[in-house]
Amino acid sequence: MSIEEQILEEFTSKEYEHGWSVDFEADETPLGINEDIIRFISAKKEEPEWLLRWRLEAFRLWQKMEEPKWANVSYPMIDFQAIKYYSAPKQEKKPNSLDEVDPELLKTFERLGISLQEQKRLTGVAIDAVIDSVSVATTFKDKLSELGIIFCSFSEAVQEHPELVRKYIGSVVPSNDNYYAALNSAVFSDGSFCYIPKGVRCPMELSTYFRINAANTGQFERTLIIADEGSYVSYLEGCTAPMRDENQLHAAVVEIYAAKNAEVKYSTVQNWYPGDKNGKGGIYNFVTKRGICVGDYAKISWTQVETGSAVTWKYPSCILKGDHSVGEFYSVAVTNNHQQADTGTKMLHIGKNTRSRIVSKGISAGKSQNSYRGQVEVMKRAENARNFSQCDSLLMGSLCGAHTFPYIDIKNKTAQVEHEATTSKVGEDQIFYCQQRGIDEENAVALIVNGFAKEVMNKLPMEFAVEAQKLLALTLEGSVG
Amino acid sequence: MISIKNVQASIEDKEILRGIDLEVNTGEVHAIMGPNGSGKSTLASILAGREDYEITSGSVEYFGEDLLKFDPEERAQKGIFLAFQYPVEIPGVSTTNFMKTAINKIRESRGEKALDAVNFLNLMKEKMKLVDIDQSLLSRSLNEGFSGGEKKRNEIFQMAMLEPKLAILDETDSGLDIDALKIVANGVNKLKSKNNATIVVTHYQRLLDYIAPDFVHVLYKGKIVKSGDKNLALELEEKGYDWIKEEVALV
């Protein structure tokens, strides 16, 4: 069966699919944030002193910072004292293998269509599963470690590889980078850690699956990927959350470090709960993702399919420091109902002959607002830097908005920067044409939208492409007619 | 097969069809001719189910069912095919993909299983040969950047794939050079059988040199004012539409 057919077949369910929650016994902090909470989190994770100090410093910085207001989104003031900063499903002791993981947890992931039992897994994907504040399981660890690849939860990395964590944490996204990065640095609870040694090509996709389960809880995970010289890794990230009436905060940080000749491909399918039709509830997704191509000929590629969240504020970026390094950003952002997305990228050209490519496809429906915000900056010594940006917007209906905010800052005359933008509407003519061939309206929209987003969808690893195509269709369910 | 009775239709209160009567049986080819603005394309659109028009009176019976109550996709699933005068572009969706979706939707509506990849490809190959169309065209985004001839040929290819019971060709000859016209007409002729019917809507007679109609109707000011056999088309070619207009004026 082709991908298209599968989507069409599954195009029948009406509601957000992952909107359930499970009652675990949870180990959690009271509402609110202060230094004691941070000490509690750090102690819970048996962290070394330096990391606690790093957190506290970030917290002090955060207290002096102001929430950014420049994004083209609006939402009520967040009460940071009304959020729980740590919630972990209670487990008797740390599991040593999957057999010891709470079966309820395994079931939770199975409901999400993710089996953590290695023998049942699709070959070719290793998964780190994170519920609320902690990583519950990482698959294929042993197999990967034979190649010297470290793939584990962030907490484990702090225990097992403190020298690597200490060296790289905050090296790409410093804790004072922005308001939410500072908050994350203070209270981050878990996340994934990945190290690919010199010359190793990671033989399988590495994946992190994030799930917010507990109520009133923020999720603050941190991902750190280090690709040593000449290595390659493809990394996938997926996220879901229960339907809840209140808004929940997700403020993550992802740092990617690519050494000489290394290549990192990072793909996200973001499907946080978007809120209901009237805009009630949903996740605030304020995320800082950045990669640095430190060495020559390094390459970092971001691919994202953003369908969820009530409010999204996210700019996966590349710092192209090494000569001949390459940065790519491929994005499909879909907003429906009352969703708001302000997303895009930043490409900072520092090295010579650096290249970047931006392809952004925004799809707006309902009363949603969808903004692309991108910055291309070419520094003085970046001889022959090249950038190509393409921003396409597709509108459905007349109540939504699409906005493009491209910033270009060139300090070297040899730079070549191109920007193309289009805006189109899903036309009645297109829909009628499909209908006349026997395809009903909903399926026609799915077909048209997937066609529009194809260039980006093709960049996704196979394992994700199907899920992503289905998501596009589901997100836009009921947005025509 | 289809029985159109006293159909009147308007768009934004402007009356376009003023009582159309037409009977088409299986195995027949009907040509509907007429000057610009006579309502030819409106008739084609109404049969396909386009919602822009309001049908103010009359009825259309299709294999004993009231056609007008069905959605456009249901009509297509029941075997009505419209070759568009202006085929629509759908970026990022190849003809192959489009046809696969369409065929399987139609099969689904008939309670049939989806075609597997092998059978679908075999069907494609067979129909490509029939309408003389190149694979490379079918892999490109639907109608995007196609020449006029390629678009029309693609319509006929889709028609071949979907094997309709009633095919309506809306000005399929417009914008075609003589070679393209022959290819299109050839495709239509090959698809003709005693189990299906074709309505050819055209302004000019020249398409009818290649697709021989059993009946020719002249539409003028929203009414069929004259019907005959293919000689009527030749007469129109020779004399133009003015004599028809005069005749109508006299009545």
Side-chain angles (χ1 to χ4, degrees):
Chain A
M1 197 155 50
S2 78
I3 289 169
E4 224 84 25
E5 288 164 45
Q6 290 180 28
I7 302 150
L8 297 181
E9 275 196 14
E10 302 214 21
F11 193 52
T12 42
S13 76
K14 287 275 173 195
E15 296 290 327
Y16 181 73
E17 268 190 294
H18 304 295
W20 40 270
S21 65
V22 179
D23 286 327
F24 301 118
E25 250 198 290
D27 204 354
E28 52 188 31
T29 56
L31 296 176
I33 182 170
N34 55 49
E35 291 200 1
D36 287 342
I37 296 281
I38 292 163
R39 284 176 204 281
F40 172 87
I41 295 170
S42 185
K44 199 85 203 161
K45 303 200 157 283
E46 299 165 18
E47 284 175 357
E49 182 63 24
W50 65 263
L51 190 51
L52 173 63
R53 280 206 309 273
W54 193 78
R55 285 175 179 275
L56 290 171
E57 196 190 329
F59 179 61
R60 285 161 201 156
L61 284 167
W62 177 73
Q63 284 178 304
K64 291 188 203 116
M65 293 167 96
E66 280 193 27
E67 217 179 321
K69 290 280 177 237
W70 45 264
N72 187 29
V73 294
S74 66
Y75 52 90
M77 283 281 283
I78 296 172
D79 181 356
F80 290 94
Q81 298 303 341
I83 295 172
K84 252 180 275 171
Y85 288 84
Y86 184 83
S87 171
K90 218 175 219 166
Q91 293 197 358
E92 291 302 308
K93 61 179 178 64
K94 256 193 157 165
N96 287 315
S97 77
L98 278 173
D99 303 336
E100 295 173 27
V101 173
D102 183 347
E104 272 301 308
L105 281 173
L106 292 179
K107 261 193 248 161
T108 301
F109 277 92
E110 258 158 43
R111 275 178 80 177
L112 291 165
I114 300 161
S115 168
L116 297 175
Q117 303 291 352
E118 294 185 24
Q119 64 273 24
K120 286 191 212 149
R121 279 293 316 152
L122 289 164
T123 45
V125 186
I127 289 189
D128 181 30
V130 178
I131 287 201
D132 295 333
S133 305
V134 292
S135 164
V136 294
T138 309
T139 62
F140 287 111
K141 239 157 71 178
D142 297 343
K143 198 173 169 199
L144 291 167
S145 70
E146 284 168 21
L147 295 163
I149 294 170
I150 304 168
F151 178 47
C152 62
S153 72
F154 205 96
S155 308
E156 200 179 326
V158 170
Q159 300 303 323
E160 307 289 325
H161 310 282
E163 71 300 337
L164 283 174
V165 175
R166 192 171 187 175
K167 183 172 171 194
Y168 291 103
I169 191 172
S171 68
V172 189
V173 180
S175 47
N176 65 353
D177 187 79
N178 68 69
Y179 190 75
Y180 290 103
L183 179 62
N184 175 288
S185 303
V187 300
F188 76 89
S189 41
D190 215 331
S192 298
F193 177 87
C194 166
Y195 174 80
I196 316 289
K198 262 184 201 171
V200 172
R201 206 181 151 84
C202 184
M204 58 178 79
E205 309 274 349
L206 301 186
S207 171
T208 305
Y209 205 95
F210 295 107
R211 170 86 183 162
I212 297 179
N213 190 64
N216 300 317
T217 302
Q219 179 147 323
F220 306 93
E221 82 275 356
R222 233 185 141 88
T223 299
L224 177 54
I225 298 172
I226 303 150
D228 216 329
E229 282 182 23
S231 67
Y232 167 85
V233 64
S234 169
Y235 199 93
L236 319 173
E237 176 202 296
C239 357
T240 58
M243 298 202 275
R244 295 191 187 281
D245 285 347
E246 81 274 4
N247 296 105
Q248 281 180 285
L249 179 62
H250 172 248
V253 169
V254 175
E255 298 180 276
I256 299 176
Y257 182 96
K260 191 175 166 189
N261 284 317
E263 180 178 350
V264 178
K265 202 171 147 44
Y266 194 104
S267 314
T268 306
V269 173
Q270 186 262 104
N271 183 25
W272 295 118
Y273 178 51
D276 70 8
K277 285 203 165 92
N278 303 313
K280 195 167 189 209
I283 304 290
Y284 292 156
N285 191 34
F286 302 144
V287 172
T288 308
K289 291 183 169 180
R290 192 175 302 149
I292 181 164
C293 291
V294 175
D296 295 352
Y297 297 97
K299 179 176 176 183
I300 292 174
S301 180
W302 299 99
T303 304
Q304 58 170 21
V305 176
E306 302 279 306
T307 62
S309 300
V311 180
T312 298
W313 183 97
K314 175 181 170 189
Y315 316 90
S317 306
C318 298
I319 301 170
L320 305 172
K321 192 167 169 233
D323 292 346
H324 304 277
S325 60
V326 177
E328 291 177 335
F329 174 75
Y330 296 98
S331 168
V332 175
V334 189
T335 53
N336 195 1
N337 298 323
H338 290 265
Q339 283 178 272
Q340 305 173 66
D342 192 305
T343 185
T345 185
K346 243 192 227 175
M347 294 289 174
L348 180 60
H349 293 255
I350 300 173
K352 295 182 181 69
N353 299 308
T354 45
R355 283 184 290 137
S356 63
R357 182 176 170 85
I358 298 170
V359 178
S360 162
K361 305 270 182 178
I363 300 161
S364 342
K367 293 177 180 164
S368 67
Q369 295 296 327
N370 200 330
S371 304
Y372 165 80
R373 187 182 302 276
Q375 183 173 7
V376 176
E377 197 174 343
V378 177
M379 307 297 273
K380 226 171 180 170
R381 68 167 205 95
E383 294 288 319
N384 298 315
R386 290 212 314 253
N387 162 267
F388 173 77
S389 304
Q390 180 167 348
C391 302
D392 297 327
S393 307
L394 186 69
L395 296 166
M396 301 175 66
S398 52
L399 300 173
C400 55
H403 315 270
T404 306
F405 304 98
Y407 304 90
I408 295 172
D409 184 4
I410 312 288
K411 299 194 181 76
N412 184 308
K413 278 182 188 161
T414 61
Q416 273 185 47
V417 175
E418 289 173 71
H419 182 94
E420 285 179 13
T422 65
T423 303
S424 52
K425 267 187 101 163
V426 173
E428 279 174 30
D429 284 353
Q430 286 175 319
I431 292 174
F432 179 68
Y433 191 71
C434 295
Q435 284 180 302
Q436 212 302 303
R437 301 302 187 244
I439 305 164
D440 61 70
E441 191 165 296
E442 295 276 353
N443 283 300
V445 170
L447 195 70
I448 294 164
V449 164
N450 274 307
F452 172 77
K454 192 175 166 193
E455 194 181 345
V456 175
M457 305 298 257
N458 282 348
K459 297 284 170 188
L460 285 175
M462 259 316 282
E463 290 81 359
F464 257 23
V466 178
E467 186 187 355
Q469 291 205 3
K470 279 191 274 186
L471 261 180
L472 280 195
L474 275 174
T475 308
L476 294 168
E477 179 99 335
S479 57
V480 287
Chain B
M1 172 190 274
I2 193 163
S3 167
I4 303 168
K5 287 200 176 104
N6 188 33
V7 164
Q8 301 185 21
S10 56
I11 186 164
E12 289 162 3
D13 291 333
K14 197 181 157 219
E15 209 179 3
I16 299 183
L17 299 183
R18 301 162 197 257
I20 299 279
D21 290 285
L22 183 65
E23 198 76 41
V24 177
N25 298 308
T26 48
E28 293 177 352
V29 176
H30 289 245
I32 296 182
M33 302 184 67
N36 289 331
S38 57
K40 302 188 298 287
S41 286
T42 302
L43 179 60
S45 297
I46 277 176
L47 295 178
R50 198 167 199 130
E51 279 169 11
D52 306 351
Y53 303 93
E54 198 195 340
I55 295 163
T56 48
S57 78
S59 67
V60 181
E61 215 173 73
Y62 175 72
F63 287 106
E65 287 186 298
D66 174 12
L67 182 71
L68 300 179
K69 70 169 193 231
F70 295 119
D71 289 333
E73 64 270 22
E74 292 171 317
R75 299 183 196 194
Q77 288 159 4
K78 287 172 187 293
I80 290 185
F81 180 91
L82 173 66
F84 284 63
Q85 182 177 5
Y86 305 108
V88 179
E89 294 178 6
I90 305 186
V93 178
S94 66
T95 304
T96 307
N97 213 333
F98 183 59
M99 275 298 101
K100 196 161 183 195
T101 308
I103 281 188
N104 287 330
K105 274 283 145 192
I106 291 172
R107 292 178 69 93
E108 190 188 307
S109 77
R110 294 173 183 164
E112 294 165 7
K113 270 203 301 197
L115 271 191
D116 63 33
V118 176
N119 283 320
F120 179 77
L121 278 177
N122 286 341
L123 183 69
M124 285 259 298
K125 273 188 199 149
E126 180 198 326
K127 305 298 184 181
M128 277 160 59
K129 226 193 259 169
L130 194 76
V131 298
D132 193 18
I133 197 165
D134 200 62
Q135 169 73 52
S136 63
L137 197 67
L138 304 181
S139 316
R140 280 165 54 187
S141 286
L142 189 58
N143 292 320
E144 201 181 35
F146 285 21
S147 71
E150 287 170 334
K151 281 184 186 173
K152 295 298 169 74
R153 204 182 300 179
N154 189 278
E155 292 291 291
I156 303 303
F157 169 73
Q158 293 182 37
M159 176 176 149
M161 290 291 287
L162 300 181
E163 297 174 344
K165 295 194 180 93
L166 175 63
I168 304 159
L169 312 182
D170 187 10
E171 310 253 1
T172 300
D173 52 335
S174 67
L176 293 189
D177 61 31
I178 199 73
D179 292 329
L181 190 74
K182 276 187 195 165
I183 291 167
V184 165
N186 201 12
V188 173
N189 287 332
K190 283 183 190 159
L191 295 170
K192 210 168 78 176
S193 82
K194 60 178 193 297
N195 299 319
N196 62 26
T198 312
I199 297 176
V200 183
V201 173
T202 181
H203 183 83
Y204 301 103
Q205 193 272 336
R206 59 174 195 162
L207 179 64
L208 305 179
D209 284 340
Y210 305 100
I211 302 173
D214 302 301
F215 302 94
V216 175
H217 311 277
V218 180
L219 194 62
Y220 178 60
K221 286 192 174 165
K223 273 187 129 136
I224 290 178
V225 293
K226 210 170 181 63
S227 295
D229 59 14
K230 63 180 176 204
N231 292 319
L232 176 60
L234 294 171
E235 206 176 340
L236 285 169
E237 175 77 355
E238 204 179 302
K239 301 199 225 163
Y241 285 108
D242 286 348
W243 64 280
I244 298 262
K245 293 180 189 172
E246 279 160 26
E247 264 189 32
V248 172
L250 284 175
V251 178

